[in-house]
């Protein structure tokens, strides 16, 4: 898809899995564009008021609808029916769209719906979403009847986040925004297992003889700074 202000790109692939002890399954891998998207950056800041996006970031919500239409067309074109497993991935903007899509699918499944069509059986345990540098996607108010995006209903959604990355901080939690599922934070110096984890990563990295040996981890020199938005204004 040519990148314009409110476009999104995605690619899908499938594989039939036969099983002697269980019903056959169709595996669908769905990856969403998160880089090199030109004017799509404007959609990242189309936050909206939630009235027409079910309390989601509007840019990500509108984009996930396009990806959902693409996925439904892909299923129809390839005559996919029966049991399905769905892998969803994305980076940065693609991660925000993927997180939104996976959360909406999980919500539909929890309500007993069939979001991919009456002939397609997708369960929570058949849906896997792994995203990287994931922005926040849904404005959650615990005082309403909204499902909690951090509850176990969404624990099949994982956001891999690196310590100090500003992208996962957008939109701000102070405005009530959250991500669906669980965060996996890499390289947080406050973690009690940080030194052991860092050494394990260095050992794995240095075990490849084709790469330059690394004795220090660059994020050890990272210093977080608090931005005064009032000063910017």
């Amino acid at each position: 898809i040519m990148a314009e202000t409110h476009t999104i790109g995605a690619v899908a692939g499938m594989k039939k899995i036969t099983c002697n002890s269980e019903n056959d399954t169709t595996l669908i891998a769905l990856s969403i564009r998160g880089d090199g998207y030109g004017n799509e950056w404007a959609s990242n800041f189309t936050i909206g008021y939630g009235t027409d996006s079910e309390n989601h970031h509007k840019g990500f919500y509108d984009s996930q609808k396009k990806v959902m239409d693409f996925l439904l067309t892909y299923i129809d074109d390839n005559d996919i029916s029966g049991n399905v497993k769905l892998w969803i991935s994305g980076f940065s903007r693609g991660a925000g769209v993927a997180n939104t899509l996976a959360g909406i699918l999980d919500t539909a499944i929890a309500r007993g719906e069939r979001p991919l069509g009456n002939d397609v059986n997708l369960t929570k345990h058949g849906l896997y979403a792994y995203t990287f540098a994931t922005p926040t996607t849904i404005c959650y108010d615990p005082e309403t009847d909204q499902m909690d995006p951090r509850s176990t209903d969404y624990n099949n959604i994982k956001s891999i986040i690196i310590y100090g990355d500003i992208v996962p901080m957008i939109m701000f939690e102070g405005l009530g925004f959250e991500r669906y599922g669980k965060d996996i934070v890499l390289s947080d110096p406050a973690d009690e297992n940080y030194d052991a984890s860092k050494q394990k990563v260095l050992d794995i990295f240095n075990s490849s003889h084709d790469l330059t040996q690394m004795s220090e981890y660059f994020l050890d020199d990272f210093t977080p700074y608090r931005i005064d938005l009032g000063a910017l204004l």
Side-chain angles (χ1 to χ4, degrees):
I1 302 173
M2 183 65 68
E4 298 179 2
T5 303
H6 296 292
T7 58
I8 190 68
V11 62
M14 59 172 283
K15 182 177 179 63
K16 295 281 188 179
I17 301 174
T18 58
C19 183
N20 293 328
S21 59
E22 298 180 12
N23 292 329
D24 294 349
T25 296
T26 302
L27 171 63
I28 303 173
L30 177 68
S31 185
I32 302 173
R33 178 172 64 203
D35 194 10
Y37 50 68
N39 290 338
E40 279 181 14
W41 68 268
S43 179
N44 297 343
F45 296 95
T46 307
I47 304 165
Y49 294 97
T51 54
D52 56 352
S53 58
E54 300 179 4
N55 294 316
H56 295 87
H57 178 293
K58 181 168 173 55
F60 299 152
Y61 178 83
D62 288 351
S63 295
Q64 69 81 28
K65 288 200 298 184
K66 294 182 174 72
V67 175
M68 185 65 174
D69 288 343
F70 164 74
L71 177 59
L72 292 175
T73 300
Y74 181 85
I75 289 171
D76 185 59
D77 288 347
N78 288 279
D79 297 321
I80 298 173
S81 61
N83 291 339
V84 162
K85 293 185 183 298
L86 178 61
W87 293 352
I88 306 176
S89 66
F91 162 73
S92 191
R93 166 172 165 75
V97 177
N99 184 269
T100 305
L101 174 60
I104 289 173
L105 288 172
D106 266 344
T107 300
I109 292 169
R111 292 173 176 170
E113 301 170 7
R114 287 179 173 262
L116 301 184
N118 292 331
D119 296 329
V120 178
N121 180 34
L122 174 68
T123 67
K124 173 177 177 278
H125 298 291
L127 173 61
Y128 305 82
Y130 285 85
T131 60
F132 302 84
T134 315
T136 54
T137 57
I138 180 169
C139 190
Y140 172 60
D141 182 358
E143 300 300 321
T144 68
D145 60 355
Q146 278 181 277
M147 292 176 62
D148 184 350
R150 295 292 193 176
S151 71
T152 56
D153 289 305
Y154 303 97
N155 61 8
N156 54 337
I157 303 173
K158 307 294 194 302
S159 297
I160 295 89
I161 295 167
I162 196 166
Y163 173 76
D165 187 357
I166 193 173
V167 173
M169 302 178 187
I170 303 171
M171 287 310 301
F172 306 115
E173 291 184 4
L175 298 178
F177 278 83
E178 279 281 8
R179 275 177 291 275
Y180 285 105
K182 299 178 65 176
D183 289 352
I184 300 173
V185 181
L186 306 179
S187 307
D188 184 351
D191 190 294
E192 62 181 10
N193 298 317
Y194 175 74
D195 289 335
S197 298
K198 179 180 72 173
Q199 190 58 51
K200 182 177 180 180
V201 169
L202 288 172
D203 290 344
I204 293 173
F205 182 87
N206 290 329
S207 67
S208 175
H209 60 83
D210 293 330
L211 299 172
T212 303
Q213 296 287 295
M214 183 169 63
S215 59
E216 298 181 357
Y217 191 46
F218 72 97
L219 278 181
D220 285 343
D221 296 326
F222 175 80
T223 302
Y225 292 93
R226 186 175 297 278
I227 300 174
D228 184 353
L229 295 180
L232 292 177
L233 295 175

Short mmCIF file of all heavy atoms in Angstrom, two decimals, residues 200-229:
data_model
loop_
_atom_site.label_atom_id
_atom_site.label_comp_id
_atom_site.label_asym_id
_atom_site.label_seq_id
_atom_site.Cartn_x
_atom_site.Cartn_y
_atom_site.Cartn_z
N LYS A 200 24.39 -12.56 30.44
CA LYS A 200 23.90 -13.62 29.57
C LYS A 200 23.79 -13.12 28.13
O LYS A 200 24.17 -13.82 27.19
CB LYS A 200 22.54 -14.10 30.07
CG LYS A 200 21.95 -15.25 29.28
CD LYS A 200 20.63 -15.72 29.87
CE LYS A 200 20.05 -16.88 29.07
NZ LYS A 200 18.76 -17.35 29.64
N VAL A 201 23.27 -11.89 27.97
CA VAL A 201 23.14 -11.31 26.63
C VAL A 201 24.52 -11.12 26.01
O VAL A 201 24.75 -11.43 24.83
CB VAL A 201 22.38 -9.97 26.70
CG1 VAL A 201 22.48 -9.23 25.37
CG2 VAL A 201 20.93 -10.21 27.05
N LEU A 202 25.47 -10.59 26.79
CA LEU A 202 26.83 -10.38 26.28
C LEU A 202 27.48 -11.69 25.86
O LEU A 202 28.16 -11.76 24.83
CB LEU A 202 27.68 -9.67 27.34
CG LEU A 202 27.36 -8.20 27.60
CD1 LEU A 202 28.13 -7.67 28.79
CD2 LEU A 202 27.65 -7.35 26.37
N ASP A 203 27.26 -12.74 26.67
CA ASP A 203 27.86 -14.04 26.34
C ASP A 203 27.30 -14.58 25.03
O ASP A 203 28.04 -15.11 24.19
CB ASP A 203 27.59 -15.04 27.47
CG ASP A 203 28.38 -14.71 28.73
OD1 ASP A 203 29.34 -13.93 28.63
OD2 ASP A 203 28.01 -15.23 29.80
N ILE A 204 25.98 -14.45 24.84
CA ILE A 204 25.35 -14.93 23.60
C ILE A 204 25.86 -14.11 22.41
O ILE A 204 26.21 -14.65 21.35
CB ILE A 204 23.82 -14.85 23.71
CG1 ILE A 204 23.31 -15.84 24.76
CG2 ILE A 204 23.16 -15.14 22.36
CD1 ILE A 204 21.83 -15.72 25.08
N PHE A 205 25.91 -12.79 22.59
CA PHE A 205 26.38 -11.92 21.51
C PHE A 205 27.82 -12.25 21.13
O PHE A 205 28.16 -12.39 19.95
CB PHE A 205 26.28 -10.46 21.97
CG PHE A 205 26.70 -9.45 20.92
CD1 PHE A 205 25.79 -8.97 20.00
CD2 PHE A 205 28.01 -9.00 20.86
CE1 PHE A 205 26.17 -8.05 19.04
CE2 PHE A 205 28.41 -8.08 19.90
CZ PHE A 205 27.48 -7.61 18.98
N ASN A 206 28.67 -12.41 22.13
CA ASN A 206 30.09 -12.64 21.87
C ASN A 206 30.40 -14.06 21.42
O ASN A 206 31.52 -14.35 20.98
CB ASN A 206 30.91 -12.31 23.12
CG ASN A 206 30.93 -10.81 23.40
OD1 ASN A 206 30.86 -10.00 22.48
ND2 ASN A 206 31.01 -10.44 24.67
N SER A 207 29.41 -14.97 21.53
CA SER A 207 29.64 -16.34 21.09
C SER A 207 29.68 -16.45 19.57
O SER A 207 30.11 -17.47 19.02
CB SER A 207 28.55 -17.27 21.65
OG SER A 207 27.29 -16.95 21.08
N SER A 208 29.23 -15.40 18.89
CA SER A 208 29.29 -15.39 17.43
C SER A 208 30.64 -14.82 17.00
O SER A 208 30.91 -13.64 17.20
CB SER A 208 28.14 -14.54 16.86
OG SER A 208 28.26 -14.44 15.46
N HIS A 209 31.50 -15.65 16.42
CA HIS A 209 32.86 -15.22 16.09
C HIS A 209 32.89 -14.22 14.95
O HIS A 209 33.93 -13.60 14.70
CB HIS A 209 33.73 -16.44 15.73
CG HIS A 209 33.21 -17.20 14.55
ND1 HIS A 209 33.46 -16.84 13.25
CD2 HIS A 209 32.43 -18.32 14.48
CE1 HIS A 209 32.88 -17.69 12.42
NE2 HIS A 209 32.25 -18.60 13.14
N ASP A 210 31.76 -14.05 14.24
CA ASP A 210 31.74 -13.13 13.11
C ASP A 210 31.53 -11.69 13.56
O ASP A 210 31.62 -10.76 12.76
CB ASP A 210 30.62 -13.51 12.13
CG ASP A 210 30.90 -14.83 11.45
OD1 ASP A 210 32.09 -15.15 11.27
OD2 ASP A 210 29.94 -15.54 11.12
N LEU A 211 31.21 -11.50 14.85
CA LEU A 211 30.91 -10.17 15.34
C LEU A 211 32.02 -9.67 16.25
O LEU A 211 32.74 -10.45 16.89
CB LEU A 211 29.58 -10.17 16.12
CG LEU A 211 28.35 -10.59 15.31
CD1 LEU A 211 27.15 -10.74 16.22
CD2 LEU A 211 28.06 -9.56 14.22
N THR A 212 32.16 -8.35 16.31
CA THR A 212 33.14 -7.75 17.21
C THR A 212 32.76 -8.03 18.66
O THR A 212 31.61 -7.88 19.05
CB THR A 212 33.20 -6.22 16.97
OG1 THR A 212 33.52 -5.98 15.60
CG2 THR A 212 34.26 -5.58 17.86
N GLN A 213 33.75 -8.42 19.46
CA GLN A 213 33.49 -8.70 20.86
C GLN A 213 33.07 -7.43 21.60
O GLN A 213 33.60 -6.34 21.37
CB GLN A 213 34.74 -9.28 21.53
CG GLN A 213 35.16 -10.63 20.95
CD GLN A 213 34.22 -11.74 21.38
OE1 GLN A 213 34.13 -12.07 22.55
NE2 GLN A 213 33.51 -12.33 20.41
N MET A 214 32.10 -7.57 22.48
CA MET A 214 31.58 -6.42 23.21
C MET A 214 31.70 -6.71 24.71
O MET A 214 31.25 -7.74 25.20
CB MET A 214 30.10 -6.18 22.85
CG MET A 214 29.49 -4.96 23.53
SD MET A 214 27.86 -4.52 22.84
CE MET A 214 26.91 -5.99 23.25
N SER A 215 32.35 -5.80 25.44
CA SER A 215 32.56 -6.00 26.87
C SER A 215 31.60 -5.18 27.72
O SER A 215 31.39 -5.48 28.89
CB SER A 215 34.01 -5.64 27.25
OG SER A 215 34.28 -4.28 26.92
N GLU A 216 31.03 -4.13 27.14
CA GLU A 216 30.11 -3.27 27.87
C GLU A 216 28.79 -3.16 27.11
O GLU A 216 28.74 -3.34 25.89
CB GLU A 216 30.70 -1.88 28.08
CG GLU A 216 31.98 -1.89 28.93
CD GLU A 216 32.53 -0.50 29.14
OE1 GLU A 216 31.94 0.45 28.56
OE2 GLU A 216 33.52 -0.36 29.86
N TYR A 217 27.76 -2.85 27.85
CA TYR A 217 26.42 -2.73 27.27
C TYR A 217 26.10 -1.25 27.13
O TYR A 217 26.16 -0.50 28.12
CB TYR A 217 25.41 -3.44 28.17
CG TYR A 217 24.04 -3.63 27.57
CD1 TYR A 217 23.89 -4.09 26.26
CD2 TYR A 217 22.90 -3.35 28.30
CE1 TYR A 217 22.64 -4.28 25.71
CE2 TYR A 217 21.64 -3.53 27.75
CZ TYR A 217 21.52 -4.00 26.46
OH TYR A 217 20.27 -4.18 25.91
N PHE A 218 25.77 -0.80 25.93
CA PHE A 218 25.67 0.63 25.68
C PHE A 218 24.60 1.32 26.53
O PHE A 218 24.73 2.49 26.86
CB PHE A 218 25.40 0.90 24.19
CG PHE A 218 24.03 0.53 23.73
CD1 PHE A 218 23.04 1.49 23.62
CD2 PHE A 218 23.71 -0.78 23.38
CE1 PHE A 218 21.77 1.15 23.19
CE2 PHE A 218 22.44 -1.12 22.95
CZ PHE A 218 21.47 -0.16 22.86
N LEU A 219 23.56 0.60 26.93
CA LEU A 219 22.49 1.23 27.70
C LEU A 219 22.91 1.55 29.13
O LEU A 219 22.20 2.29 29.82
CB LEU A 219 21.25 0.34 27.71
CG LEU A 219 20.36 0.43 26.47
CD1 LEU A 219 19.15 -0.45 26.62
CD2 LEU A 219 19.92 1.87 26.21
N ASP A 220 24.05 1.02 29.57
CA ASP A 220 24.52 1.37 30.91
C ASP A 220 24.82 2.86 31.02
O ASP A 220 24.83 3.41 32.11
CB ASP A 220 25.78 0.57 31.25
CG ASP A 220 25.45 -0.88 31.58
OD1 ASP A 220 24.27 -1.15 31.86
OD2 ASP A 220 26.36 -1.71 31.57
N ASP A 221 25.09 3.49 29.89
CA ASP A 221 25.41 4.91 29.89
C ASP A 221 24.19 5.79 29.65
O ASP A 221 24.30 7.01 29.57
CB ASP A 221 26.46 5.23 28.82
CG ASP A 221 27.78 4.54 29.12
OD1 ASP A 221 28.11 4.39 30.31
OD2 ASP A 221 28.47 4.14 28.15
N PHE A 222 23.01 5.14 29.52
CA PHE A 222 21.79 5.92 29.24
C PHE A 222 21.33 6.64 30.51
O PHE A 222 21.27 6.06 31.59
CB PHE A 222 20.68 5.01 28.75
CG PHE A 222 19.35 5.71 28.56
CD1 PHE A 222 19.11 6.47 27.44
CD2 PHE A 222 18.37 5.61 29.53
CE1 PHE A 222 17.90 7.12 27.26
CE2 PHE A 222 17.15 6.25 29.37
CZ PHE A 222 16.92 7.00 28.23
N THR A 223 21.02 7.93 30.36
CA THR A 223 20.51 8.72 31.47
C THR A 223 19.15 9.27 31.09
O THR A 223 19.03 10.03 30.12
CB THR A 223 21.45 9.89 31.79
OG1 THR A 223 22.75 9.38 32.10
CG2 THR A 223 20.92 10.69 32.99
N PRO A 224 18.09 8.90 31.80
CA PRO A 224 16.76 9.41 31.46
C PRO A 224 16.60 10.86 31.90
O PRO A 224 17.14 11.29 32.94
CB PRO A 224 15.82 8.49 32.26
CG PRO A 224 16.64 8.04 33.42
CD PRO A 224 18.05 7.96 32.93
N TYR A 225 15.88 11.64 31.11
CA TYR A 225 15.58 13.03 31.44
C TYR A 225 14.08 13.23 31.40
O TYR A 225 13.39 12.69 30.55
CB TYR A 225 16.26 13.98 30.44
CG TYR A 225 17.76 14.00 30.54
CD1 TYR A 225 18.54 13.15 29.74
CD2 TYR A 225 18.40 14.85 31.44
CE1 TYR A 225 19.92 13.16 29.85
CE2 TYR A 225 19.79 14.87 31.54
CZ TYR A 225 20.55 14.02 30.74
OH TYR A 225 21.91 14.03 30.84
N ARG A 226 13.59 14.02 32.32
CA ARG A 226 12.17 14.36 32.37
C ARG A 226 11.94 15.62 31.55
O ARG A 226 12.63 16.63 31.73
CB ARG A 226 11.72 14.56 33.82
CG ARG A 226 10.20 14.77 33.93
CD ARG A 226 9.79 14.83 35.41
NE ARG A 226 10.07 13.57 36.06
CZ ARG A 226 9.26 12.51 36.00
NH1 ARG A 226 8.14 12.57 35.31
NH2 ARG A 226 9.57 11.40 36.63
N ILE A 227 10.97 15.57 30.65
CA ILE A 227 10.65 16.71 29.79
C ILE A 227 9.55 17.54 30.43
O ILE A 227 8.49 17.00 30.80
CB ILE A 227 10.23 16.25 28.39
CG1 ILE A 227 11.36 15.45 27.73
CG2 ILE A 227 9.84 17.43 27.51
CD1 ILE A 227 10.95 14.83 26.40
N ASP A 228 9.79 18.84 30.57
CA ASP A 228 8.80 19.74 31.11
C ASP A 228 7.93 20.26 29.96
O ASP A 228 8.36 21.13 29.19
CB ASP A 228 9.47 20.91 31.83
CG ASP A 228 8.46 21.85 32.50
OD1 ASP A 228 7.25 21.67 32.28
OD2 ASP A 228 8.90 22.75 33.23
N LEU A 229 6.73 19.68 29.79
CA LEU A 229 5.87 20.07 28.67
C LEU A 229 5.45 21.52 28.78
O LEU A 229 5.24 22.21 27.78
CB LEU A 229 4.63 19.17 28.63
CG LEU A 229 4.91 17.69 28.34
CD1 LEU A 229 3.59 16.91 28.33
CD2 LEU A 229 5.63 17.51 27.02
#
